[in-house]
């Protein structure tokens, strides 16, 4: 049976030795002393390990059940949900005036990784609610904020996002759900939404749906879409719950994974809703939630990879199979453990080097969000906007691959449900699809983000890498293993960007055919930068006489593995990009 151990030591390393958060100029970061963050992370980790993780296989095997319009969540989910929200974990970084604790996004992200790794399906209920509350905070009226956000911050009420319809997913301009204005300022929404995570359940007394719909007479296409607040139960003036709204769940989808989260078909039959933000500006408001969700989904890719790796490592140490080719390693046993074999070590190191690099990348991104929000730093906002599709796309593509590698370590036992590792594969798979499929993330990166503000932010990224290399060029301990590989990979990224500039305008397909490879090339460079920085921090700790030498030596060895074995993939991606559109587009459609 699978288990989960919170990576407390590594989280602390990233926060304090890599990011040096307590000495940061970002308001609020000065309060994040190591003792404080350790207490928060340790407490959340215990809850994730002891309460949330044991329900992961329960949710997978029992799933959710629709009975007379009500969704019953798996056994134990309600009690665990009450314990999580009772501890204030659902509102860690929300404003104090609405019941939050006003902590940085960074700390909330560190905590969120542990909950997601412990039980992704369960954690989605609170994660989606956080995103919906954030959208209301950003675009709602004072009355809307006062009515909904405190209850959502505490998760007394949960929230959802309703975009997809049976005939349209990514192309939301094809949306048919309509919102007819009423005399009292509200709207009547009619239509059907599908793939709505946590659309109906028995965990809370109310569910606040954020729904995209068209107001009659508005512009065609995406420019005519508006966003509405549509609660399951209407809310009276005194804050109490009123009558049931005309919104219902007609079906729960049968899915490959995340069985413990109800993925619903939602019917709106003249349901009462209120405009959130401006008319016909619904995508602007929805993207407040979508951007947060995309970072959260990137975190899910990392989290499932971490949980799968932990279990694969235990199995590789315990499972006896064959003998090491260099001589017996376990003379008292009938065979040596799997971990002695080079190919098993390759799979484990692929996982370990990805997980630790991805964690650093994700938390670095979260710190940029805090800089943007707390300081109004437009450069930080531009950089995280550029990196959001990379975080979402690269971490979920690679995260899924790492769960498959973990399954491979188990051999045939990984294909048997009893081991539990197959659940990580199935749960991780959705992260590559929802909140914008990864192909769309790549198109967004190449088609929009690279050229944003005249290419200012991608140039700033290149400068960041160049500055790091220059600052450390005399460090012989880092040069061959870390700096030189990073420099080469960065040059591959620059060459890919140059190819797009020279060819993309006259032949857009030349850029778009290489968009997936560019996203992955960019992702590898980001993790290469993180590993170079972590190597510097680990070396400094060892030179300073750190007591836990094993941790830092492992960090350096793992980083060397990534730079030598994983980062060279940038050359492959560049070669694919420079092949242009022809290999992708030349085959006649009829000949497929």
């Amino acid at each position: 049976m699978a288990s989960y151990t919170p990576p407390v030591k590594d989280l602390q390393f990233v926060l304090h030795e890599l990011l040096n958060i307590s000495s940061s100029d970002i308001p609020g970061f000065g309060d994040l002393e190591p003792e404080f963050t350790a207490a928060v992370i340790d407490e959340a980790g215990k809850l994730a390990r002891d309460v949330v993780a044991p329900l992961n296989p329960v949710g997978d095997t029992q799933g959710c059940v629709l009975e007379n319009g009500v969704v019953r969540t798996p056994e134990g989910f309600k009690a665990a949900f009450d314990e999580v929200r009772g501890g204030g974990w659902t509102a860690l970084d929300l404003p104090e005036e609405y019941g939050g604790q006003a902590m940085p996004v960074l700390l909330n992200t560190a905590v969120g990784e542990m909950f997601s790794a412990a039980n992704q399906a369960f954690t989605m209920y609170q994660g989606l609610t956080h995103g919906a509350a954030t959208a209301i905070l950003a675009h709602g009226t004072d009355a809307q904020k006062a009515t909904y956000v405190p209850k959502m911050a505490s998760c007394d009420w949960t929230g959802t996002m309703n975009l997809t319809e049976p005939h349209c997913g990514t192309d939301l301009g094809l949306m048919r759900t309509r919102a007819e204005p009423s005399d009292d300022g509200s709207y009547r929404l009619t239509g059907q939404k599908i793939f709505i995570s946590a659309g109906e359940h028995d965990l809370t007394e109310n569910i606040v749906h954020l729904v995209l719909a068209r107001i009659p007479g508005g512009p065609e296409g995406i420019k005519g879409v508006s966003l509405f607040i549509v609660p399951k139960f209407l809310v009276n003036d005194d804050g109490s719950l009123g009558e049931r709204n005309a919104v219902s769940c007609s079906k729960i989808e049968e899915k490959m994974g995340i069985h413990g989260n109800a993925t619903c078909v939602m019917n709106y039959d003249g349901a009462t809703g209120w405009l959130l933000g401006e008319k016909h500006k619904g995508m602007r408001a929805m993207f407040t939630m979508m951007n947060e969700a995309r970072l959260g989904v990137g975190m899910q890719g990392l989290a499932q990879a971490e949980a799968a790796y932990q279990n694969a490592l235990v199995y590789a140490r315990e499972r006896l199979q064959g003998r090491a080719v260099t001589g017996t390693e376990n003379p008292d046993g009938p065979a040596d453990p799997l971990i002695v074999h080079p190919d098993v070590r390759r799979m484990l190191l692929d996982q370990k080097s990805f997980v630790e690099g991805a964690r650093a990348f994700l938390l670095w991104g979260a710190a940029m969000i805090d800089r943007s929000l707390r300081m109004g730093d437009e450069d930080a906002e531009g950089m995280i906007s550029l990196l959001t599709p990379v975080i979402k796309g690269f971490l979920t593509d690679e995260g899924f691959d790492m769960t498959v590698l973990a399954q491979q370590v188990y051999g045939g036992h990984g294909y048997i449900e009893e081991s539990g590792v197959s659940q990580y594969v199935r749960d991780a798979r959705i992260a590559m699809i929802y909140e914008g499929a990864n192909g769309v993330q790549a198109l967004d990166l190449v088609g929009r983000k690279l050229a944003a503000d005249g290419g200012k932010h991608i140039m700033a990224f290149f400068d960041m890498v160049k500055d790091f290399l220059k600052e450390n060029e005399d460090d012989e301990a880092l040069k061959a293993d870390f700096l030189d590989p990073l420099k080469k990979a960065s040059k591959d990224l620059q060459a890919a960007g140059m190819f797009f500039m020279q060819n993309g305008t006259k032949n857009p397909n030349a850029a778009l055919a290489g968009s997936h490879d560019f996203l992955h090339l960019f992702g590898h460079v980001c993790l290469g930068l993180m590993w170079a920085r972590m190597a510097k921090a680990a070396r400094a700790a060892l030179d300073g006489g750190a007591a836990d030498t094993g941790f830092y030596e492992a960090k350096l060895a793992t980083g060397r593995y990534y730079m030598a074995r994983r980062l060279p993939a940038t050359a492959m991606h560049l070669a694919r990009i420079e092949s242009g559109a022809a290999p992708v587009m030349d085959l006649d459609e009829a000949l497929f």
Side-chain angles (χ1 to χ4, degrees), residues 107-331:
L107 190 57
N108 188 62
T109 303
V111 167
E113 183 207 321
M114 293 186 289
F115 283 125
S116 188
N119 192 329
Q120 179 175 320
F122 173 90
T123 303
M124 287 171 64
Y125 290 100
Q126 67 201 56
L128 289 161
T129 304
H130 186 285
T134 300
I136 295 173
L137 280 171
H139 301 283
T141 65
D142 289 342
Q144 288 172 337
K145 294 175 189 177
T147 299
Y148 297 104
V149 176
K151 290 287 191 179
M152 296 170 75
S154 64
C155 272
D156 289 331
W157 301 348
T158 56
T160 70
M161 54 195 298
N162 287 234
L163 290 79
T164 307
E165 298 183 6
H167 59 283
C168 71
T170 300
D171 190 356
L172 293 172
L174 300 176
M175 188 177 301
R176 295 174 185 162
T177 300
R178 66 183 188 275
E180 301 278 352
S182 300
D183 293 338
D184 63 357
S186 65
Y187 290 79
R188 296 291 180 268
L189 277 77
T190 303
Q192 186 179 79
K193 299 289 185 178
I194 64 170
F195 304 158
I196 308 307
S197 299
E200 172 62 35
H201 57 77
D202 58 359
L203 299 179
T204 59
E205 61 183 1
N206 203 10
I207 303 173
V208 181
H209 303 290
L210 298 190
V211 186
L212 285 176
R214 294 186 175 282
I215 299 173
E220 293 297 317
I222 200 66
K223 294 182 179 179
V225 172
S226 302
L227 185 61
F228 299 88
I229 299 174
V230 187
K232 175 181 174 180
F233 286 94
L234 300 178
V235 183
N236 297 321
D237 291 340
D238 64 358
S240 62
L241 296 184
E243 63 184 46
R244 175 70 184 259
N245 208 350
V247 53
S248 61
C249 170
S250 60
K251 179 186 177 183
I252 299 177
E253 302 290 358
E254 295 185 15
K255 312 186 294 293
M256 175 180 176
I258 55 168
H259 297 152
N261 195 274
T263 303
C264 302
V265 175
M266 302 299 297
N267 296 318
Y268 294 85
D269 301 307
T272 301
W274 288 266
L275 184 68
L276 177 60
E278 301 177 52
K279 287 183 181 179
H280 316 311
K281 303 291 185 183
M283 290 308 297
R284 179 187 301 173
M286 182 58 83
F287 267 109
T288 299
M289 185 174 183
M290 285 286 286
N291 285 331
E292 176 180 319
R294 285 172 178 172
L295 293 168
V297 171
M299 178 181 70
Q300 290 178 346
L302 155 65
Q304 295 308 296
E306 165 70 35
Y309 164 66
Q310 288 187 13
N311 287 276
L313 177 60
V314 170
Y315 188 81
R317 284 171 167 164
E318 294 179 350
R319 173 74 168 177
L320 302 181
Q321 197 85 127
R323 290 293 188 188
V325 295
T326 54
T328 299
E329 297 282 345
N330 179 33

